[in-house]
Amino acid sequence: MTSVTLGSLGEKIRLHSRCFFCPNVLFINVPENAEGASKVWRQGTKNAPTFSSPSIISRSPPQAVASEISTTEPKAASTLTYEEKMLRNYVPIFVMLPLGVIKVDNVLEDKDKLVKELKELQAAGVDGVMIDVWWGIIESKGPKQYDWTAYRSLFQAVQECGLKLQAIMSFHQCGGNVGDVVTIPLPQWVLDIGESDPDIFYTNLKGKRNPEYLTLGVDNRCLLSGRTAVEIYSDYMKSFRENIADFLETGLIIDIEVGLGPAGELRYPSYPESQGWVFPGIGEFQCYDKYLQADFKEAATAAGHPEWELPDNAGEYNDTPESTEFFKSNGTYLTEKGKFFLTWYSNKLLSHGDQILDEANKAFVGCKLKLAAKVSGIHWWYKADNHAAELTAGYYNLKDRDGYRPIARMLSRHHAILNFTCLEMRDSEQSADAKSAPQELVQQVLSGGWRENIEVAGENALSRYDSTAYNQILLNARPNGINRDGQPKLRMYGVTYLRLSDELLQKTNLNLFKTFVKKMHADQDYCPDPEKYNHHLGPLERSKPEISIEHLLEATKAEDPFPWDKETDMKVSGGLLSNLIGKLFSLFK
């Protein structure tokens, strides 16, 4: 268990999540034994948008926390053997399966090849694999017409190879994002609804629709063959539990990652390659469908500013921040109107994630597994004061405002893991004009998760096979290195490597990968019993009680991240070729 002292930020803004029939407000959980929340109502932030409705705000008190991270060991360190102590440093490693391992026509092709590759991964010591479970495949025939046959065959193969499984509830389209090599659209019956009502999809200022994920503006609107989007996601997850129950009971599936947006990430589709975005463009806000426009107008009116409109000066996908009125120095984002919009925009995302994770918790409560949600590693323009690329994606993160820790606090209510990306990246590998800082971003996000007392996991953003990338992942997995007396205070819950491919299994690459796996395991052999490295998988408990958005936003107070070592103490040495590849990334990325 980890915890630290929380500061507070007196932002008060009612979070609107408009249903088809009635308004909804996000509530976030906090333990019942925490101390006085009344101070939230007394604090104020100059120029921050403030309004409240006491009749709907929970008065549950804020979470009580300790002043620093602490680790609870189930067995006294003095009674552990050396190997048992080293196992407490073990970080399990999973490998993503290819995006199209189940074809768009719901067929598992070339099962023999897959089994051969799974056995190679098992021999390499990996703990398990991750697989996208595509909504566009499973419910393709029509509403509530689910076909799990191909996935059952896949799960059986994974189980027979002695691997564990992380399953992603993939409610997004495959295709149009970085690394997408196959196309799996949303179910055709959903796309057909979009023909007559294109506003069910995220929309930019110019009216360009993005059919890779339903806009969160329809989360609670009965527009999809008599169901809301949230009801569709809930029904899908319930069907998964019912039809995959035997694999849940055997302990094959240890992790359910709930897709919450494009690429499965809790964000807006602000930088779609399918619409011409190129790195390091700032991206565009995606809130101009009629449902989100109406929601914003209602929120602005309730705040006493009916004249406020959504931004029309934030530029286009490939602009730089300073070329826009919204993001430039002393731009709109720093005004009262700009702060109100960014708070509304980011809070809608929090509400979206909270509501769907609550449904996921209902679907899988009692199962011996963890829930997880993925947050995108938007590292470009992180060094700029405006953090423009993060803001357009929905992460209201500035030097003096933490946009990620509120997400971690929301996840804590559902006993969920925060899964973050770009673990392999180093600042020196990025072009200077992008003002990119992946290392600082990773440190901020992981620190926020640990401070909220939740588990954090992660993955690499780009396929890498060199020791430089592996060593950066190892550093992030254990930021302060090995503790030879037991579990380190800072340790990631797990890492998922992107991804299984012919290139990974090429002999030289595979040998280096095996070394990486061994180092992730703290130089210990593969351990089939997670209890030995303090990963207790008890039955999933029901989501905790609700608390107010005011307490959630207290987590926006900026704090320095925990200190990271300069380099890992479990280095992978890859030889001349691997070192050369790492240097090339530094020179040309």
Side-chain angles (χ1 to χ4, degrees):
M1 301 285 285
T2 62
S3 55
V4 297
T5 298
L6 297 178
S8 63
L9 180 65
E11 289 187 75
K12 302 174 185 174
I13 180 168
R14 177 181 174 185
L15 177 65
H16 283 253
S17 177
R18 184 70 177 170
C19 296
F20 189 42
F21 295 109
C22 62
N24 228 345
V25 175
L26 170 67
F27 292 95
I28 304 298
N29 157 66
V30 69
E32 296 177 355
N33 63 347
E35 301 175 358
S38 60
K39 65 179 181 180
V40 175
W41 295 92
R42 297 194 300 268
Q43 293 171 336
T45 299
K46 186 177 181 180
N47 295 328
T50 62
F51 57 100
S52 59
S53 177
S55 63
I56 60 173
I57 296 296
S58 166
R59 301 302 182 97
S60 299
Q63 186 171 1
V65 292
S67 60
E68 60 182 34
I69 283 194
S70 60
T71 301
T72 302
E73 298 271 359
K75 184 178 178 182
S78 60
T79 66
L80 298 176
T81 66
Y82 177 76
E83 286 188 355
E84 288 175 328
K85 291 177 181 178
M86 290 300 291
L87 270 175
R88 300 299 170 89
N89 296 273
Y90 186 107
V91 178
I93 179 81
F94 298 81
V95 176
M96 295 184 200
L97 296 185
L99 289 166
V101 64
I102 302 291
K103 303 301 180 185
V104 69
D105 56 355
N106 207 355
V107 173
L108 172 60
E109 290 190 2
D110 208 346
K111 183 176 179 180
D112 291 342
K113 179 176 184 259
L114 174 64
V115 169
K116 178 178 179 294
E117 293 174 340
L118 290 174
K119 288 180 177 178
E120 288 192 74
L121 292 178
Q122 194 273 339
V126 303
D127 297 86
V129 294
M130 174 181 273
I131 181 66
D132 286 277
V133 184
W134 296 105
W135 176 35
I137 292 177
I138 296 299
E139 201 176 354
S140 61
K141 302 298 183 183
K144 296 189 178 183
Q145 296 182 39
Y146 309 106
D147 183 357
W148 302 99
T149 308
Y151 275 97
R152 286 192 55 82
S153 181
L154 171 64
F155 293 173
Q156 186 65 40
V158 173
Q159 184 165 270
E160 290 175 356
C161 290
L163 296 166
K164 297 297 185 182
L165 186 69
Q166 299 173 317
I168 310 173
M169 303 291 99
S170 298
F171 299 118
H172 61 285
Q173 166 189 295
C174 182
N177 284 301
V178 177
D180 287 351
V181 294
V182 299
T183 299
I184 302 172
L186 300 189
Q188 186 58 50
W189 60 271
V190 174
L191 298 178
D192 290 343
I193 294 172
E195 288 293 321
S196 57
D197 184 3
D199 287 279
I200 67 172
F201 301 121
Y202 281 118
T203 307
N204 68 5
L205 178 62
K206 291 185 176 180
K208 182 73 173 177
R209 315 291 183 174
N210 190 330
E212 63 177 305
Y213 189 84
L214 295 173
T215 169
L216 59 79
V218 301
D219 276 356
N220 299 292
R221 295 175 183 267
C222 298
L223 302 172
L224 303 163
S225 296
R227 290 185 292 170
T228 68
V230 170
E231 288 171 340
I232 285 175
Y233 305 143
S234 178
D235 289 342
Y236 181 90
M237 290 185 284
K238 290 174 183 175
S239 178
F240 179 87
R241 177 172 180 170
E242 293 168 1
N243 288 273
I244 312 295
D246 49 339
F247 294 112
L248 292 169
E249 290 168 1
T250 61
L252 170 68
I253 301 171
I254 61 168
D255 185 289
I256 299 288
E257 183 173 292
V258 184
L260 299 172
E265 297 167 337
L266 179 62
R267 65 172 174 87
Y268 294 91
S270 56
Y271 53 101
E273 286 192 329
S274 60
Q275 295 186 15
W277 174 85
V278 177
F279 179 87
I282 60 174
E284 294 185 27
F285 293 118
Q286 302 288 323
C287 52
Y288 299 90
D289 61 84
K290 65 183 181 182
Y291 303 113
L292 283 178
Q293 286 194 61
D295 188 283
F296 177 79
K297 179 57 68 174
E298 180 185 357
T301 300
H305 289 282
E307 75 281 6
W308 281 351
E309 302 288 346
L310 292 169
D312 60 2
N313 61 350
E316 300 183 352
Y317 288 120
N318 296 315
D319 284 342
T320 60
E322 289 297 328
S323 67
T324 74
E325 289 296 318
F326 192 91
F327 295 113
K328 71 178 184 179
S329 300
N330 298 316
T332 305
Y333 81 100
L334 294 173
T335 66
E336 182 183 6
K337 176 182 176 182
K339 290 177 180 179
F340 179 86
F341 164 73
L342 291 170
T343 304
W344 170 85
Y345 189 66
S346 58
N347 283 355
K348 293 298 298 182
L349 202 61
L350 286 167
S351 176
H352 171 73
D354 179 75
Q355 191 173 3
I356 297 171
L357 283 167
D358 194 45
E359 293 301 317
N361 182 279
K362 292 176 186 176
F364 297 108
V365 67
C367 296
K368 289 186 177 181
L369 52 76
K370 295 278 191 179
L371 294 180
K374 185 177 175 183
V375 173
S376 183
I378 302 179
H379 53 86
W380 53 105
W381 303 112
Y382 184 87
K383 290 182 179 178
D385 289 342
N386 49 69
H387 289 244
E390 293 166 271
L391 298 191
T392 57
Y395 305 136
Y396 189 4
N397 189 57
L398 299 172
K399 185 177 181 180
D400 60 352
R401 188 188 197 278
D402 193 328
Y404 299 98
R405 189 168 168 185
I407 297 174
R409 185 168 292 187
M410 179 269 289
L411 294 178
S412 71
R413 142 166 155 80
H414 307 290
H415 318 287
I417 297 168
L418 191 159
N419 185 23
F420 197 61
T421 60
C422 72
L423 294 187
E424 86 285 10
M425 292 184 175
R426 304 199 318 169
D427 293 1
S428 61
E429 297 167 351
Q430 312 303 317
S431 57
D433 58 356
K435 294 191 176 181
S436 179
Q439 290 174 254
E440 288 83 350
L441 175 60
V442 168
Q443 291 175 24
Q444 178 190 345
V445 175
L446 299 193
S447 294
W450 282 318
R451 282 182 164 129
E452 288 302 317
N453 207 18
I454 66 171
E455 301 286 1
V456 297
E459 58 194 50
N460 51 306
L462 303 173
S463 295
R464 295 277 296 269
Y465 311 98
D466 59 285
S467 58
T468 301
Y470 290 146
N471 287 333
Q472 188 62 33
I473 295 173
L474 283 160
L475 174 60
N476 289 322
R478 290 181 294 258
N480 304 136
I482 292 289
N483 178 9
R484 300 186 184 278
D485 292 320
Q487 183 172 321
K489 289 184 177 180
L490 299 180
R491 180 188 64 162
M492 295 187 70
Y493 192 78
V495 169
T496 304
Y497 176 81
L498 181 152
R499 88 177 49 246
L500 175 61
S501 65
D502 292 340
E503 192 171 4
L504 174 63
L505 298 178
Q506 187 270 333
K507 184 177 180 180
T508 301
N509 288 340
L510 184 59
N511 286 338
L512 189 63
F513 180 74
K514 289 178 180 178
T515 303
F516 167 62
V517 171
K518 188 81 169 180
K519 297 299 182 182
M520 287 290 295
H521 291 167
D523 275 342
Q524 303 302 297
D525 293 333
Y526 162 74
C527 180
D529 182 5
E531 294 281 352
K532 291 185 177 179
Y533 49 89
N534 270 11
H535 277 199
H536 176 64
L537 273 181
L540 179 65
E541 298 178 8
R542 185 68 184 94
S543 295
K544 299 176 190 175
E546 301 167 341
I547 64 168
S548 70
I549 187 64
E550 279 80 3
H551 180 60
L552 183 68
L553 292 181
E554 280 187 345
T556 59
K557 183 184 181 202
E559 293 190 51
D560 290 337
F562 295 121
W564 252 240
D565 292 347
K566 289 186 177 180
E567 58 184 29
T568 179
D569 58 353
M570 278 278 170
K571 271 193 168 184
V572 171
S573 179
L576 182 61
L577 179 58
S578 181
N579 291 335
L580 178 60
I581 292 172
K583 289 180 179 179
L584 287 173
F585 263 92
S586 297
L587 290 173
F588 297 110
K589 288 300 286 184

